[in-house]
Amino acid sequence: ADLFERTAEELAPHGLSCECLGGGRLSHRPEERKIHVYGYSVGFGRADHAVTTEKLKAEYPDYEITWADEGY
């Protein structure tokens, strides 16, 4: 929620708004080049981790990126 609020405040002066579509967590293990997307946000619900994973794969093509709906 803190990150979302800060982003919304930064966008507002530019006439832009945003909407949070859900949340989750990341486990980043750079030494193994792995990212795991999981969990949910109590306040925003669960994001579509498949979408998050695809965006991460585009940015980190040399990483193994996985996701699961389980966990918090």
Side-chain angles (χ1 to χ4, degrees):
D2 294 337
L3 293 173
F4 175 71
E5 289 174 17
R6 185 171 48 215
T7 301
E9 289 173 4
E10 290 174 2
L11 292 173
H14 303 284
L16 301 171
S17 63
C18 57
E19 176 184 359
C20 184
L21 302 176
R25 296 176 180 263
L26 297 176
S27 170
H28 182 207
R29 298 192 318 235
E31 66 284 349
E32 298 175 37
R33 300 186 103 50
K34 292 183 178 182
I35 298 174
H36 182 65
V37 182
Y38 66 99
Y40 61 94
S41 163
V42 172
F44 297 111
R46 186 179 331 272
D48 185 342
H49 297 328
V51 171
T52 304
T53 299
E54 289 307 311
K55 300 219 178 269
L56 287 167
K57 285 180 179 180
E59 203 60 34
Y60 300 94
D62 56 336
Y63 268 64
E64 176 186 336
I65 302 175
T66 59
W67 67 273
D69 280 334
E70 299 83 38
Y72 174 76

